[in-house]
Amino acid sequence: MNKKRLWACFAVAGLCILGGCSEESVYTLSKDEVKIKVHETEFDPLDYLLKDGEPLDEGDRAKIKTGAKIDTNTVGKTVFTFPEYGLSLHVTIYDDEAPTLSIVGFQVKRGVVFTWNEESLNKLKPQISDNYDSGDLLKKSLHCDSVDTNQLGKQTITCYVEDSTGNKTSKSVEMEVVE
């Protein structure tokens, strides 16, 4: 071995002994699957990427170029990939918030056949809101218990509404049967 090569080997060995050598970092995920609430604005896939078993520091975060975004406004499952590390983070976006419902009872005539239809449901003046579905969509899912029009007086019935992800809410309302 010539002297230049020998000195180069000693220099590299010396740097390694003094801590100058760095092993290649290993990137992993803290979780393979995560669940986040619909409309979550604080979700960052980099929060789940680890470098040598530790969370990324700001310098590491800045070096990682990722243009992919996850739409947290849509319920469902998606995968966020870190192709440079061969990693995939499975993300489930869920909605567990029930709609809100406000209704007002009204009078119906005794002995008249009463059915719930679009017109009679609108008499309840329903105010429906949800964190995921529109109120117009939810009005179509509004259902109420039947009213006994053979019995004079006030009756309490329950109305129900369900959003597209299966969250339900109910509200009691007082109906009055009059002559």
Side-chain angles (χ1 to χ4, degrees), residues 9-75:
C9 287
F10 281 110
V12 169
L15 285 174
C16 288
I17 291 168
L18 296 173
C21 278
S22 63
E23 297 176 18
E24 190 170 319
S25 293
V26 175
Y27 288 86
T28 57
L29 292 172
S30 60
K31 295 179 178 181
D32 292 335
E33 292 186 37
V34 294
K35 292 182 178 184
I36 58 173
K37 201 165 186 171
V38 68
H39 306 305
E40 176 63 50
T41 58
E42 300 298 316
F43 175 71
D44 185 351
L46 291 178
D47 291 343
Y48 300 93
L49 186 62
L50 303 175
K51 178 181 175 184
D52 300 325
E54 297 293 324
L56 301 178
D57 62 28
E58 289 306 312
D60 290 328
R61 283 175 168 272
K63 290 177 194 172
I64 296 174
K65 294 181 177 33
T66 177
K69 299 287 182 199
I70 291 180
D71 178 9
T72 62
N73 296 315
T74 304
V75 170

Side-chain angles (χ1 to χ4, degrees), residues 74-124:
T74 304
V75 170
K77 294 184 178 197
T78 189
V79 177
F80 187 91
T81 59
F82 297 95
E84 61 272 30
Y85 310 115
L87 300 172
S88 297
L89 178 64
H90 297 264
V91 181
T92 301
I93 300 159
Y94 70 95
D95 171 30
D96 65 352
E97 206 171 302
T100 62
L101 173 63
S102 173
I103 49 178
V104 178
F106 58 92
Q107 294 179 338
V108 294
K109 293 195 184 215
R110 179 180 169 182
V112 173
V113 176
F114 178 81
T115 58
W116 289 110
N117 55 34
E118 189 175 345
E119 183 181 337
S120 57
L121 287 170
N122 282 334
K123 284 185 177 182
L124 289 169

Side-chain angles (χ1 to χ4, degrees), residues 147-179:
V147 177
D148 182 358
T149 60
N150 293 319
Q151 208 173 17
L152 277 176
K154 295 181 179 182
Q155 298 175 33
T156 301
I157 64 158
T158 305
C159 295
Y160 311 86
V161 68
E162 182 177 352
D163 69 14
S164 65
T165 58
N167 300 305
K168 300 174 187 173
T169 197
S170 62
K171 195 65 125 180
S172 294
V173 66
E174 200 170 83
M175 300 290 288
E176 186 176 13
V177 179
V178 296
E179 286 292 345

